[in-house]
Amino acid sequence: MRNNGGKTRRPTSLAEAFDLDEANALKAHRRPRKQMEELMGTNRSTYARWVSDCEMPAGRLLQFSVLCGSAHVIEYLAIACGKLVVSIPTGKKAKASDLGEMQANFGKVVMLLEQFYRGQTDLPETLGVLNEVLSQVAYHRENVIKTGQPELELFGE
C-alpha cells in the first residue's frame, strides 16, 4: 500500500499489518472478509479471531498473503525479527545496460552514504537509493539462481 508521499507504507504493529492486507484484498482484488473466509476454508468466527487477535496459524500466513495480494503481515514479522526485506523483481533477461545501471547506482549509494554520515544528505533519499541497489542485486541473484532451471519464455523477451 502507498501513502500520500508515494512511498511504501510500513505497518507499525501486527494489527495494522493485518488491516493493511485486508484492505488490499478488498481494494485490489475485491475480496471482502466473507470471501476471504471462504477462500481460506474457515468459518466466520475463526477467521475473525485470527485477524482481530493477530493469531493466525503460521501455516496459513502465506495463503492469507497470496489471497490479499500483499505481504504486510509477513514483512512485519520479518522486520520485527531484525531481517531485511527486499522485494525480488521478476522480469526479463539481464542486458549489459542493466549491469551498467547497477554499477552506477553502487557508486551513487556509496557517495550518498558518505554524505549521509556527514549530515549532508537526508534519510529518505539515502534509503531510496539503498533500496534500489538492494533490489537490483536481488534481481540478478534470482537470475543467476534460475539459470539452472530457466522459466518458459512465452513472448521471447
Side-chain angles (χ1 to χ4, degrees):
M1 211 170 241
R2 299 196 179 270
N3 63 16
N4 292 337
K7 297 180 181 159
T8 302
R9 181 170 175 190
R10 300 274 181 175
T12 57
S13 69
L14 188 54
E16 183 182 5
F18 273 104
D19 290 344
L20 288 171
D21 277 343
E22 280 199 313
N24 192 70
L26 185 59
K27 182 178 180 183
H29 301 289
R30 296 184 183 158
R31 290 189 178 133
R33 185 172 265 206
K34 183 176 180 180
Q35 188 178 10
M36 290 293 292
E37 296 161 2
E38 292 171 4
L39 291 170
M40 291 194 66
T42 187
N43 59 42
R44 175 175 289 170
S45 62
T46 301
Y47 181 84
R49 188 183 71 234
W50 287 349
V51 173
S52 66
D53 295 345
C54 301
E55 293 184 358
M56 186 172 286
R60 297 291 193 113
L61 286 174
L62 185 57
Q63 178 187 18
F64 177 75
S65 178
V66 169
L67 291 173
C68 290
S70 60
H72 290 98
V73 172
I74 293 172
E75 289 176 4
Y76 177 83
L77 292 171
I79 291 169
C81 292
K83 304 300 179 192
L84 175 66
V85 178
V86 177
S87 296
I88 299 172
T90 58
K92 58 192 182 304
K93 187 175 179 179
K95 298 181 232 164
S97 61
D98 296 333
L99 298 176
E101 181 184 342
M102 184 174 68
Q103 183 177 12
N105 283 337
F106 272 124
K108 184 176 181 181
V109 80
V110 169
M111 178 191 70
L112 282 173
L113 282 171
E114 190 271 329
Q115 291 175 350
F116 177 79
Y117 290 127
R118 287 190 291 138
Q120 297 176 343
T121 306
D122 64 345
L123 179 68
E125 180 182 8
T126 305
L127 282 178
V129 176
L130 271 171
N131 287 339
E132 177 67 24
V133 168
L134 289 171
S135 181
Q136 288 174 325
V137 170
Y139 168 81
H140 290 290
R141 178 183 178 273
E142 285 301 301
N143 273 351
V144 169
I145 288 171
K146 290 178 181 177
T147 57
Q149 299 175 351
E151 295 177 354
L152 178 64
E153 288 190 27
L154 295 176
F155 303 107
E157 289 184 34

Coordinates of all heavy atoms in Angstrom, one line a residue, residues 70-121:
S70 N -0.9 -8.9 -0.9 CA 0.1 -8.1 -0.3 C 0.7 -8.9 0.9 O 0.1 -9.9 1.3 CB -0.4 -6.8 0.2 OG -1.5 -7.0 1.1
A71 N 1.9 -8.5 1.4 CA 2.5 -9.3 2.4 C 2.9 -8.5 3.6 O 4.0 -8.7 4.2 CB 3.8 -10.0 1.8
H72 N 2.0 -7.6 4.0 CA 2.4 -6.7 5.2 C 2.6 -7.5 6.4 O 3.5 -7.2 7.2 CB 1.3 -5.7 5.4 CG 1.2 -4.6 4.3 ND1 0.3 -4.7 3.3 CD2 1.9 -3.5 4.1 CE1 0.5 -3.7 2.5 NE2 1.5 -2.9 3.0
V73 N 1.8 -8.5 6.7 CA 2.0 -9.3 7.9 C 3.3 -10.0 7.9 O 4.1 -10.0 8.9 CB 0.8 -10.3 8.1 CG1 1.1 -11.3 9.3 CG2 -0.5 -9.6 8.3
I74 N 3.6 -10.7 6.8 CA 4.9 -11.5 6.7 C 6.1 -10.5 6.8 O 7.0 -10.8 7.5 CB 4.9 -12.3 5.4 CG1 3.8 -13.4 5.5 CG2 6.3 -12.9 5.2 CD1 3.6 -14.2 4.2
E75 N 6.0 -9.4 6.1 CA 7.1 -8.4 6.2 C 7.3 -7.8 7.6 O 8.4 -7.7 8.0 CB 6.9 -7.3 5.1 CG 7.0 -7.7 3.7 CD 6.7 -6.7 2.7 OE1 6.4 -5.5 3.1 OE2 6.7 -7.0 1.5
Y76 N 6.1 -7.5 8.2 CA 6.2 -7.0 9.6 C 6.9 -8.0 10.5 O 7.8 -7.6 11.3 CB 4.8 -6.7 10.1 CG 4.9 -6.2 11.5 CD1 5.2 -4.9 11.8 CD2 4.7 -7.1 12.6 CE1 5.2 -4.4 13.1 CE2 4.8 -6.6 13.9 CZ 5.0 -5.3 14.2 OH 5.1 -4.9 15.5
L77 N 6.5 -9.3 10.4 CA 7.2 -10.3 11.3 C 8.7 -10.4 11.0 O 9.5 -10.5 11.9 CB 6.5 -11.6 11.1 CG 5.0 -11.7 11.6 CD1 4.3 -13.0 11.2 CD2 5.0 -11.5 13.1
A78 N 9.0 -10.4 9.7 CA 10.5 -10.5 9.3 C 11.2 -9.3 9.9 O 12.3 -9.4 10.5 CB 10.6 -10.6 7.8
I79 N 10.7 -8.1 9.7 CA 11.4 -6.9 10.2 C 11.4 -6.9 11.7 O 12.5 -6.4 12.3 CB 10.7 -5.6 9.6 CG1 10.9 -5.5 8.1 CG2 11.2 -4.3 10.3 CD1 10.0 -4.5 7.4
A80 N 10.4 -7.3 12.4 CA 10.4 -7.4 13.8 C 11.5 -8.3 14.3 O 12.0 -8.1 15.5 CB 9.0 -7.8 14.3
C81 N 11.9 -9.3 13.5 CA 13.0 -10.2 13.9 C 14.3 -9.7 13.5 O 15.3 -10.4 13.5 CB 12.7 -11.6 13.3 SG 11.3 -12.4 14.0
G82 N 14.4 -8.5 12.9 CA 15.6 -7.9 12.6 C 16.1 -8.3 11.2 O 17.3 -8.2 10.9
K83 N 15.2 -8.7 10.3 CA 15.6 -9.2 9.0 C 15.3 -8.1 8.0 O 14.4 -7.3 8.1 CB 14.9 -10.4 8.6 CG 15.0 -11.6 9.5 CD 16.5 -12.0 9.7 CE 16.7 -13.1 10.7 NZ 18.0 -13.3 11.0
L84 N 16.1 -8.0 6.9 CA 15.9 -7.1 5.9 C 15.0 -7.7 4.8 O 15.2 -8.8 4.4 CB 17.3 -6.7 5.2 CG 17.2 -5.8 4.0 CD1 16.8 -4.4 4.4 CD2 18.6 -5.8 3.3
V85 N 14.0 -6.9 4.4 CA 13.0 -7.4 3.5 C 13.2 -6.6 2.2 O 13.0 -5.4 2.2 CB 11.6 -7.3 4.0 CG1 10.6 -7.8 3.0 CG2 11.4 -8.1 5.3
V86 N 13.5 -7.4 1.1 CA 13.7 -6.7 -0.2 C 12.8 -7.5 -1.2 O 12.9 -8.7 -1.3 CB 15.2 -6.8 -0.7 CG1 15.3 -6.2 -2.1 CG2 16.1 -6.1 0.3
S87 N 11.9 -6.8 -1.9 CA 11.1 -7.4 -2.9 C 12.0 -7.8 -4.1 O 12.7 -7.0 -4.6 CB 10.0 -6.5 -3.3 OG 9.1 -6.2 -2.3
I88 N 11.9 -9.0 -4.5 CA 12.7 -9.5 -5.6 C 11.9 -9.3 -6.9 O 10.9 -10.0 -7.1 CB 13.1 -11.0 -5.4 CG1 13.9 -11.1 -4.2 CG2 13.9 -11.5 -6.7 CD1 14.2 -12.6 -3.8
P89 N 12.4 -8.4 -7.8 CA 11.7 -8.2 -9.0 C 11.8 -9.4 -9.9 O 12.8 -10.1 -9.9 CB 12.3 -7.0 -9.6 CG 13.5 -6.7 -8.8 CD 13.5 -7.6 -7.6
T90 N 10.8 -9.6 -10.7 CA 10.8 -10.7 -11.7 C 10.8 -10.0 -13.1 O 10.3 -8.9 -13.2 CB 9.6 -11.6 -11.6 OG1 8.4 -10.9 -11.7 CG2 9.6 -12.4 -10.3
G91 N 11.4 -10.6 -14.0 CA 11.3 -9.9 -15.3 C 12.1 -10.7 -16.4 O 12.2 -11.9 -16.4
K92 N 12.7 -9.9 -17.2 CA 13.4 -10.4 -18.4 C 14.8 -10.6 -18.2 O 15.4 -10.3 -17.1 CB 13.2 -9.3 -19.5 CG 13.7 -8.0 -19.2 CD 13.3 -6.9 -20.2 CE 13.9 -5.6 -19.9 NZ 13.7 -5.0 -18.6
K93 N 15.5 -11.2 -19.2 CA 16.9 -11.5 -19.2 C 17.7 -10.2 -19.0 O 17.3 -9.2 -19.7 CB 17.3 -12.2 -20.5 CG 18.7 -12.7 -20.5 CD 18.9 -13.5 -21.7 CE 20.3 -14.0 -21.8 NZ 20.6 -14.8 -23.0
A94 N 18.7 -10.2 -18.2 CA 19.5 -9.0 -18.0 C 20.3 -8.6 -19.2 O 20.8 -9.5 -20.0 CB 20.5 -9.3 -16.8
K95 N 20.5 -7.3 -19.4 CA 21.3 -6.8 -20.5 C 22.5 -6.1 -19.9 O 22.5 -5.8 -18.7 CB 20.4 -5.8 -21.3 CG 19.2 -6.3 -22.0 CD 18.5 -5.2 -22.8 CE 17.1 -5.2 -22.3 NZ 16.4 -4.0 -22.7
A96 N 23.4 -5.8 -20.8 CA 24.6 -5.0 -20.3 C 24.3 -3.7 -19.7 O 24.9 -3.2 -18.8 CB 25.6 -4.8 -21.5
S97 N 23.2 -3.1 -20.3 CA 22.8 -1.8 -19.7 C 22.3 -1.9 -18.3 O 22.4 -1.0 -17.5 CB 21.7 -1.1 -20.6 OG 20.6 -1.9 -20.7
D98 N 21.6 -3.0 -18.0 CA 21.2 -3.3 -16.6 C 22.3 -3.4 -15.7 O 22.3 -2.8 -14.6 CB 20.4 -4.6 -16.5 CG 19.1 -4.6 -17.4 OD1 18.5 -3.5 -17.6 OD2 18.7 -5.7 -17.8
L99 N 23.4 -4.0 -16.1 CA 24.6 -4.1 -15.2 C 25.3 -2.8 -15.1 O 25.7 -2.4 -14.0 CB 25.6 -5.2 -15.8 CG 25.0 -6.6 -15.9 CD1 26.0 -7.5 -16.5 CD2 24.7 -7.1 -14.5
G100 N 25.3 -2.0 -16.1 CA 25.9 -0.7 -16.1 C 25.1 0.3 -15.1 O 25.7 1.0 -14.4
E101 N 23.7 0.1 -15.2 CA 22.9 0.9 -14.3 C 23.1 0.5 -12.8 O 23.2 1.4 -12.0 CB 21.4 0.7 -14.7 CG 20.5 1.5 -13.8 CD 19.0 1.2 -14.1 OE1 18.7 0.7 -15.2 OE2 18.2 1.5 -13.3
M102 N 23.3 -0.8 -12.6 CA 23.5 -1.2 -11.2 C 24.9 -0.7 -10.7 O 25.0 -0.2 -9.6 CB 23.5 -2.8 -11.2 CG 23.6 -3.3 -9.8 SD 23.4 -5.1 -9.6 CE 24.9 -5.7 -10.5
Q103 N 25.9 -0.7 -11.6 CA 27.2 -0.2 -11.2 C 27.1 1.3 -10.9 O 27.7 1.7 -9.9 CB 28.2 -0.5 -12.3 CG 29.6 -0.1 -11.9 CD 30.6 -0.5 -13.0 OE1 30.3 -0.8 -14.1 NE2 31.9 -0.3 -12.6
A104 N 26.4 2.0 -11.7 CA 26.2 3.4 -11.5 C 25.5 3.7 -10.1 O 25.9 4.6 -9.4 CB 25.5 4.1 -12.6
N105 N 24.5 2.9 -9.8 CA 23.8 3.0 -8.6 C 24.7 2.7 -7.4 O 24.6 3.2 -6.3 CB 22.5 2.2 -8.6 CG 21.4 2.9 -9.4 OD1 21.5 4.1 -9.6 ND2 20.5 2.1 -9.8
F106 N 25.6 1.7 -7.6 CA 26.6 1.4 -6.5 C 27.4 2.6 -6.2 O 27.6 2.9 -5.0 CB 27.5 0.2 -6.9 CG 27.0 -1.2 -6.6 CD1 26.8 -2.1 -7.6 CD2 26.6 -1.5 -5.3 CE1 26.3 -3.4 -7.3 CE2 26.1 -2.8 -5.0 CZ 26.0 -3.7 -6.0
G107 N 27.9 3.2 -7.2 CA 28.7 4.5 -7.0 C 27.9 5.5 -6.3 O 28.4 6.2 -5.4
K108 N 26.6 5.7 -6.8 CA 25.8 6.7 -6.2 C 25.5 6.5 -4.7 O 25.5 7.4 -3.9 CB 24.5 6.8 -7.0 CG 23.6 7.9 -6.5 CD 22.3 8.0 -7.4 CE 21.4 9.1 -7.0 NZ 20.2 9.2 -7.8
V109 N 25.2 5.2 -4.4 CA 24.9 4.9 -3.0 C 26.1 5.0 -2.1 O 26.0 5.5 -0.9 CB 24.3 3.4 -2.8 CG1 25.3 2.4 -2.9 CG2 23.5 3.4 -1.6
V110 N 27.3 4.7 -2.5 CA 28.5 5.0 -1.7 C 28.7 6.5 -1.5 O 29.0 6.9 -0.3 CB 29.7 4.3 -2.4 CG1 31.0 4.8 -1.7 CG2 29.6 2.8 -2.4
M111 N 28.5 7.3 -2.5 CA 28.6 8.7 -2.4 C 27.5 9.2 -1.4 O 27.8 10.0 -0.5 CB 28.4 9.4 -3.7 CG 28.5 10.9 -3.6 SD 27.9 11.7 -5.2 CE 26.2 11.4 -5.1
L112 N 26.3 8.8 -1.5 CA 25.2 9.2 -0.6 C 25.4 8.8 0.8 O 25.2 9.6 1.8 CB 23.8 8.7 -1.1 CG 23.2 9.4 -2.3 CD1 22.0 8.7 -2.7 CD2 22.9 10.9 -1.9
L113 N 26.0 7.6 1.0 CA 26.3 7.1 2.4 C 27.3 8.0 3.0 O 27.2 8.4 4.2 CB 26.7 5.7 2.3 CG 25.6 4.6 2.2 CD1 26.2 3.2 2.0 CD2 24.7 4.6 3.4
E114 N 28.4 8.3 2.2 CA 29.4 9.2 2.8 C 28.9 10.5 3.1 O 29.1 11.1 4.2 CB 30.5 9.3 1.7 CG 31.8 10.0 2.2 CD 31.8 11.5 2.0 OE1 31.1 12.0 1.1 OE2 32.4 12.2 2.9
Q115 N 28.0 11.1 2.3 CA 27.4 12.4 2.6 C 26.4 12.3 3.8 O 26.3 13.2 4.6 CB 26.7 12.9 1.4 CG 27.6 13.3 0.3 CD 26.9 13.7 -1.0 OE1 25.7 13.5 -1.1 NE2 27.6 14.3 -2.0
F116 N 25.7 11.2 3.8 CA 24.7 11.0 4.9 C 25.4 11.0 6.3 O 24.9 11.6 7.2 CB 23.9 9.7 4.7 CG 23.0 9.4 5.8 CD1 21.7 10.0 5.9 CD2 23.3 8.4 6.8 CE1 20.9 9.7 6.9 CE2 22.4 8.2 7.8 CZ 21.2 8.8 7.9
Y117 N 26.5 10.3 6.4 CA 27.2 10.2 7.6 C 27.9 11.5 8.0 O 28.2 11.7 9.2 CB 28.3 9.0 7.6 CG 27.6 7.7 7.6 CD1 27.9 6.7 6.6 CD2 26.6 7.3 8.6 CE1 27.3 5.5 6.6 CE2 26.0 6.1 8.6 CZ 26.4 5.2 7.6 OH 25.8 4.0 7.6
R118 N 28.0 12.4 7.1 CA 28.5 13.8 7.4 C 27.3 14.7 7.6 O 27.5 15.9 7.7 CB 29.4 14.3 6.3 CG 30.8 13.6 6.3 CD 31.8 14.2 5.4 NE 31.4 14.0 4.0 CZ 31.5 15.0 3.1 NH1 31.9 16.2 3.3 NH2 31.1 14.7 1.8
G119 N 26.1 14.2 7.5 CA 24.9 15.1 7.7 C 24.5 15.9 6.5 O 23.8 16.9 6.6
Q120 N 25.0 15.6 5.3 CA 24.7 16.4 4.1 C 23.6 15.9 3.2 O 23.3 16.5 2.2 CB 26.0 16.5 3.3 CG 27.1 17.3 4.1 CD 28.4 17.3 3.3 OE1 28.6 16.6 2.4 NE2 29.3 18.2 3.7
T121 N 23.1 14.7 3.5 CA 22.1 14.1 2.7 C 21.0 13.6 3.6 O 21.3 13.1 4.7 CB 22.6 12.9 1.9 OG1 23.7 13.3 1.1 CG2 21.6 12.3 0.9

